[in-house]
Amino acid sequence: MTRDPRYDILFEPVRIGPHVARNRFYQVPHCNGMGHRDASALAAMRGMKAEGGWAVVCTEMVEIHHTADVSPYVELRLWSDHDIPMLARIAEKVHAHSSLAGIELCHSGYTASNLATREVPIAASPMPTASYFNDPVTARGMDREDIRNLRRAHRQAALRSKQAGFDLVYVYAGHGLGIFQHFLSRATNFRTDEYGGSLENRARLLREVIADTKDAVGDACAVPVRIAMHEFNGSAGLEPAEVEDAIAMMAELPDLWDLSLSDWSKDSQTSRFAEEGFQEPYIKGVKKLTTKPVVGVGRYTSPDAMVRVIRQGIMDMIGAARPSIADPFLPSKIEQGRLDDIRECIGCNVCVTHDFTMTPLRCTQNPSMGEEWRRGWHPEKIRPKEEDKHILVVGAGPAGLEAARALGQRGYQVTLADAAAEAGGRVARECRLPGLSAWSRVRDWRMLQINKMPNVSLYLESEMTPETIAELGADHVLLATGSEWLRDGTGRHFVHPCPAADSADVLTPDDIMAGRRPGSASVVLYDDDHYYMGGVLAELLAREDHAVTLVTPAAVASSYTKASLEQKAIQARLLKLGVRIIANHAVSAIARDHVTLDCVFTGEPVRLEAGACVLVTSRRPVDGLWHALEGQGVAASRAGDCFGPGTIAAAVHSGRKFAEAFGKPTPDFLDLPFRREVTALS
Ligand code: ADP
Ligand code: SF4
C-alpha cells in the first residue's frame, strides 16, 4: 500500500535550526515514570518512536541541576557528567532510525521541592513549593547571583546535552513546571527588580537563557522553546494575548516554538473533557508572529485533522505525546496508507497515572508501551507460532480481544467466543457512559485487526460451558470472562458486607450499564472504588434528573483521578450538575428510605434520606467456568479481569502477555519474568 497524496504534506521535511526533520511528526517531551531509574527501558521506548517514523523524538523533563530535584517523581537528570552516558543512550537509539533527538532541559523552580537533595528550592519569588503532598517546604526568592548561577547551570547542561549527542536542546517554560514560565507569569513573579514588573522584565530571563543556549550549542543544536499559552488563572496569570506579546518580543530567537497549556491537567485533557484539537483556539495566533516552525498538540490521531491544521497555518509540525504512546508507528502507517491500522489514543490518561505513581509508563491501547526493553515486546511484531495449535478464547472483552488478536498474528488457529451479542466486554458497556465514547477504540481497533485474520473466528451469543468447551476440543482454553461489581458494599473502607434491608433498592454499576435505574428520585452513590466509575455514574444519574449524593471515604470525589489529571474537572462537573458530595464518610447500612453514613475519623453515624443506593465499591472475578474446568484435564489459563480485576489497560496487557508466552515453557514462580536495571556495586 502507498500513501494517499492528500497526506504528502505531512511528509515534507522541516528545517529546525541546523537540522532538518524528515517529516512533520514531532514527539514532544513527555514524562514516563521510568526516567533515571529505568534508563535502558526508557531509551528503548524512545527508539521505538523513531522506528515508527516520528522525525523528532524528545526526552521528558531533564533536571539540569541538583536544585531542580522533583523527586519522588522519576524524571531524567543531568546534574553532572555522570549522567551523560544515560542520555547518550537515548540519543543513540533515536539516531538509529534517522530521527532527531531532543532534550527538554528543565529547572522546576518552586515546583521542585528538592526532597532528595535537601537543597533549599529556588524560585522567581519566595513561596511554598507546589507539590502533590503539599510538602512543608518553602522556596527562597532568587537574588541576582542566583540568576547568574541558574544561567550558568543551564548553559552547562546544554553543553552536556550536545556532548550526549542531542540535536535539539530545549528551553522550557511550560506546564507551570519550568522556572522561566514562573518568571514570565504575574502569578509567580512578584519581583521589583529588572526581572519583575513589566512583561519585558518578566521575559528577560527567558530571553537571556535562549541567547545563552544558542551561544553555547547553537552551532550544532537547534534550540526550541516550550511555552505555556495560558495558565487559566484569569488576568492573575498568563493568557494568550500576553504570551503572544512575549513571543513577538523574541520571535526569531529560538529555532522552534513548542506550544502548550498550563498546568499539565489543562495540557493533557482526557477525551471525557476535551476533543481532538482542543488547543487550537489558544495557539492559532502564534504562527503569524514568527518565521520559525511552530509545534502544537491536541491528541491528534486523524491524518485529515493533521493536514487541516497545517494547511490552516495553525502549526508546522504535529506534536504528540499520547498519540505516539498509543501508536509509535502512527507516522509509518499514514505513510504506508494503512490508516485503519492506526491504534488511536482513547484519551484516558492511564499513561499519565504512571508518572504520578512513579512506575513505568503503560498505555490502554498499546500493551507493549514500557515493555520494549523489559519484556522485549514490539508494538507491531510478535514471533510466529512454534507449532500448530487451536486456542479457544472465552470472552471478547479487552483481554480476550487482545489475546485473540496477538495469537492470530502469531499464526495460531483461534476461536473467540462471547456470551454477549456484541464484542468488547466492559468496553462495549462503558463506552456508552457520559464522556467515554472514545473508549470504544479499544474494541474497534482489535475487531478490525481480527476481521482481517482468516485464522481467527469470532462467535457471539455463545456462552461456553465445560460441555461446549469439551466438544470444541481446542488444544488450550484461555478464560477472559471478566469481572462483576459487588452488590454487598465491600470495598476498601469496609471489608465486610454492608447490612441492607430486603426492601432497599440497591444497584451496582453493572445494573446501571444494563439499563436498570433507581426506583426513587433521591439516590446515594457510594464510591469506595475511587476511579472514574463512581463519578461517571453520578453524572449519568444527575443528567437523568435524579437528586444524587455522592458519598466517599476519600476527601474528594473520584480521588484516584488526581493521577489522571481529571479530579478537579470531575468534581467541578458534578457540582455544576447539582450532585452533592459528602467526603470522608462511608455507607455502613442501607434501609428502604435512608442510608447510614459513618464519619471515617470519628465513626459518628449520620442519617441520610435516600430511596436508592448505588454501590461502586469493588469487583470480583467471573471465574465460575475456570473452577468448573478444574480437574477436567483441560489445558486452561486465565487473563484479564477474570484473573484479577483491574484497569482496561491491565486487561489488554494481560491478554498480550498470554499471547507472548504461549508455547514457551511456563517460568518458575521464583523466576523474574522480565529484565531489570540493577546498579552494579563495585
Ligand atoms: P476483561 O476486561 O478481562 O477483558 P470483560 O468483562 O471486559 O473482561 O469481558 C469479559 C467477557 O467475557 C464479557 O463480554 C462476557 O460476556 C464474556 N463471558 C463471560 N463468561 C462467559 C462464558 N461462559 N462464555 C462466553 N463468554 C463469557
Ligand atoms: Fe492514550 Fe490512554 Fe494510551 Fe495514554 S494510556 S496514550 S491516553 S490510550
mmCIF file of all heavy atoms in Angstrom, residues 266 268-279 298-299 322 347 573:
data_model
loop_
_atom_site.group_PDB
_atom_site.id
_atom_site.type_symbol
_atom_site.label_atom_id
_atom_site.label_comp_id
_atom_site.label_asym_id
_atom_site.label_seq_id
_atom_site.Cartn_x
_atom_site.Cartn_y
_atom_site.Cartn_z
ATOM 1 N N LYS A 266 -4.399 20.882 32.151
ATOM 2 C CA LYS A 266 -5.032 21.597 31.038
ATOM 3 C C LYS A 266 -4.418 21.150 29.711
ATOM 4 O O LYS A 266 -5.074 21.154 28.667
ATOM 5 C CB LYS A 266 -4.832 23.101 31.200
ATOM 6 C CG LYS A 266 -5.573 23.674 32.380
ATOM 7 C CD LYS A 266 -7.071 23.713 32.098
ATOM 8 C CE LYS A 266 -7.788 24.539 33.137
ATOM 9 N NZ LYS A 266 -8.966 23.925 33.673
ATOM 10 N N SER A 268 -2.941 18.084 29.031
ATOM 11 C CA SER A 268 -3.251 16.683 28.685
ATOM 12 C C SER A 268 -4.668 16.354 29.086
ATOM 13 O O SER A 268 -4.909 15.473 29.918
ATOM 14 C CB SER A 268 -2.279 15.737 29.394
ATOM 15 O OG SER A 268 -0.998 15.855 28.848
ATOM 16 N N GLN A 269 -5.628 17.062 28.538
ATOM 17 C CA GLN A 269 -7.022 16.786 28.905
ATOM 18 C C GLN A 269 -7.468 15.458 28.307
ATOM 19 O O GLN A 269 -7.039 15.086 27.212
ATOM 20 C CB GLN A 269 -7.923 17.919 28.435
ATOM 21 C CG GLN A 269 -7.630 19.207 29.193
ATOM 22 C CD GLN A 269 -8.571 20.326 28.832
ATOM 23 O OE1 GLN A 269 -9.779 20.162 28.864
ATOM 24 N NE2 GLN A 269 -8.019 21.469 28.495
ATOM 25 N N THR A 270 -8.343 14.783 29.054
ATOM 26 C CA THR A 270 -8.802 13.473 28.598
ATOM 27 C C THR A 270 -9.974 13.646 27.618
ATOM 28 O O THR A 270 -10.574 14.715 27.528
ATOM 29 C CB THR A 270 -9.278 12.626 29.793
ATOM 30 O OG1 THR A 270 -10.324 13.340 30.461
ATOM 31 C CG2 THR A 270 -8.143 12.344 30.760
ATOM 32 N N SER A 271 -10.304 12.561 26.960
ATOM 33 C CA SER A 271 -11.409 12.613 25.988
ATOM 34 C C SER A 271 -12.746 12.860 26.682
ATOM 35 O O SER A 271 -13.711 13.260 26.054
ATOM 36 C CB SER A 271 -11.458 11.311 25.178
ATOM 37 O OG SER A 271 -11.577 10.211 26.047
ATOM 38 N N ARG A 272 -12.783 12.627 27.992
ATOM 39 C CA ARG A 272 -14.009 12.898 28.745
ATOM 40 C C ARG A 272 -14.283 14.405 28.783
ATOM 41 O O ARG A 272 -15.417 14.824 28.945
ATOM 42 C CB ARG A 272 -13.816 12.344 30.168
ATOM 43 C CG ARG A 272 -15.068 12.194 30.973
ATOM 44 C CD ARG A 272 -14.752 11.389 32.239
ATOM 45 N NE ARG A 272 -15.745 11.633 33.265
ATOM 46 C CZ ARG A 272 -15.631 11.226 34.522
ATOM 47 N NH1 ARG A 272 -14.555 10.539 34.903
ATOM 48 N NH2 ARG A 272 -16.575 11.479 35.394
ATOM 49 N N PHE A 273 -13.234 15.198 28.662
ATOM 50 C CA PHE A 273 -13.395 16.645 28.823
ATOM 51 C C PHE A 273 -12.982 17.460 27.601
ATOM 52 O O PHE A 273 -13.259 18.658 27.558
ATOM 53 C CB PHE A 273 -12.609 17.115 30.060
ATOM 54 C CG PHE A 273 -13.161 16.543 31.333
ATOM 55 C CD1 PHE A 273 -12.606 15.415 31.914
ATOM 56 C CD2 PHE A 273 -14.298 17.102 31.904
ATOM 57 C CE1 PHE A 273 -13.147 14.864 33.066
ATOM 58 C CE2 PHE A 273 -14.847 16.560 33.062
ATOM 59 C CZ PHE A 273 -14.274 15.440 33.638
ATOM 60 N N ALA A 274 -12.292 16.861 26.647
ATOM 61 C CA ALA A 274 -11.829 17.675 25.513
ATOM 62 C C ALA A 274 -11.699 16.822 24.260
ATOM 63 O O ALA A 274 -11.317 15.652 24.316
ATOM 64 C CB ALA A 274 -10.485 18.315 25.842
ATOM 65 N N GLU A 275 -12.005 17.448 23.138
ATOM 66 C CA GLU A 275 -11.953 16.780 21.834
ATOM 67 C C GLU A 275 -10.552 16.878 21.237
ATOM 68 O O GLU A 275 -9.764 17.730 21.634
ATOM 69 C CB GLU A 275 -12.901 17.497 20.863
ATOM 70 C CG GLU A 275 -14.366 17.479 21.240
ATOM 71 C CD GLU A 275 -14.976 16.109 21.071
ATOM 72 O OE1 GLU A 275 -14.560 15.376 20.157
ATOM 73 O OE2 GLU A 275 -15.862 15.756 21.874
ATOM 74 N N GLU A 276 -10.321 16.065 20.224
ATOM 75 C CA GLU A 276 -9.108 16.218 19.405
ATOM 76 C C GLU A 276 -9.006 17.687 18.957
ATOM 77 O O GLU A 276 -10.015 18.276 18.572
ATOM 78 C CB GLU A 276 -9.218 15.305 18.178
ATOM 79 C CG GLU A 276 -8.025 15.339 17.253
ATOM 80 C CD GLU A 276 -8.205 14.416 16.035
ATOM 81 O OE1 GLU A 276 -9.201 14.570 15.303
ATOM 82 O OE2 GLU A 276 -7.362 13.550 15.819
ATOM 83 N N GLY A 277 -7.805 18.239 19.028
ATOM 84 C CA GLY A 277 -7.617 19.617 18.546
ATOM 85 C C GLY A 277 -8.052 20.693 19.525
ATOM 86 O O GLY A 277 -8.174 21.864 19.162
ATOM 87 N N PHE A 278 -8.234 20.313 20.810
ATOM 88 C CA PHE A 278 -8.792 21.283 21.773
ATOM 89 C C PHE A 278 -7.886 22.474 22.043
ATOM 90 O O PHE A 278 -8.326 23.473 22.593
ATOM 91 C CB PHE A 278 -9.162 20.563 23.087
ATOM 92 C CG PHE A 278 -7.977 19.982 23.831
ATOM 93 C CD1 PHE A 278 -7.358 20.693 24.849
ATOM 94 C CD2 PHE A 278 -7.489 18.732 23.511
ATOM 95 C CE1 PHE A 278 -6.274 20.161 25.535
ATOM 96 C CE2 PHE A 278 -6.401 18.191 24.198
ATOM 97 C CZ PHE A 278 -5.792 18.910 25.199
ATOM 98 N N GLN A 279 -6.616 22.396 21.668
ATOM 99 C CA GLN A 279 -5.720 23.527 21.969
ATOM 100 C C GLN A 279 -5.704 24.585 20.867
ATOM 101 O O GLN A 279 -5.104 25.648 21.029
ATOM 102 C CB GLN A 279 -4.296 23.008 22.218
ATOM 103 C CG GLN A 279 -4.230 22.006 23.351
ATOM 104 C CD GLN A 279 -2.905 21.989 24.086
ATOM 105 O OE1 GLN A 279 -2.014 22.763 23.789
ATOM 106 N NE2 GLN A 279 -2.775 21.098 25.051
ATOM 107 N N GLY A 298 -2.687 18.263 20.683
ATOM 108 C CA GLY A 298 -4.153 18.248 20.809
ATOM 109 C C GLY A 298 -4.687 16.852 20.552
ATOM 110 O O GLY A 298 -5.780 16.693 20.032
ATOM 111 N N ARG A 299 -3.920 15.849 20.916
ATOM 112 C CA ARG A 299 -4.341 14.441 20.795
ATOM 113 C C ARG A 299 -4.794 14.106 19.385
ATOM 114 O O ARG A 299 -5.819 13.469 19.163
ATOM 115 C CB ARG A 299 -5.461 14.164 21.809
ATOM 116 C CG ARG A 299 -5.091 13.142 22.859
ATOM 117 C CD ARG A 299 -6.185 12.855 23.858
ATOM 118 N NE ARG A 299 -7.504 12.836 23.325
ATOM 119 C CZ ARG A 299 -8.494 13.653 23.726
ATOM 120 N NH1 ARG A 299 -8.312 14.511 24.690
ATOM 121 N NH2 ARG A 299 -9.671 13.586 23.151
ATOM 122 N N ARG A 322 0.594 11.584 23.712
ATOM 123 C CA ARG A 322 -0.262 10.399 23.844
ATOM 124 C C ARG A 322 -0.490 9.642 22.531
ATOM 125 O O ARG A 322 -0.369 8.404 22.527
ATOM 126 C CB ARG A 322 -1.575 10.807 24.522
ATOM 127 C CG ARG A 322 -1.355 11.178 25.994
ATOM 128 C CD ARG A 322 -2.590 11.752 26.644
ATOM 129 N NE ARG A 322 -2.920 13.058 26.111
ATOM 130 C CZ ARG A 322 -4.009 13.749 26.455
ATOM 131 N NH1 ARG A 322 -4.858 13.238 27.324
ATOM 132 N NH2 ARG A 322 -4.238 14.938 25.942
ATOM 133 N N GLY A 347 -7.556 8.699 24.939
ATOM 134 C CA GLY A 347 -7.634 9.869 25.818
ATOM 135 C C GLY A 347 -8.038 9.535 27.242
ATOM 136 O O GLY A 347 -8.819 10.257 27.854
ATOM 137 N N ARG A 573 -17.555 19.304 37.428
ATOM 138 C CA ARG A 573 -18.711 18.903 36.615
ATOM 139 C C ARG A 573 -19.849 18.403 37.506
ATOM 140 O O ARG A 573 -21.005 18.763 37.319
ATOM 141 C CB ARG A 573 -18.299 17.830 35.600
ATOM 142 C CG ARG A 573 -19.436 17.409 34.709
ATOM 143 C CD ARG A 573 -18.992 16.470 33.617
ATOM 144 N NE ARG A 573 -18.349 17.161 32.512
ATOM 145 C CZ ARG A 573 -17.871 16.556 31.426
ATOM 146 N NH1 ARG A 573 -17.960 15.243 31.311
ATOM 147 N NH2 ARG A 573 -17.304 17.234 30.457
#
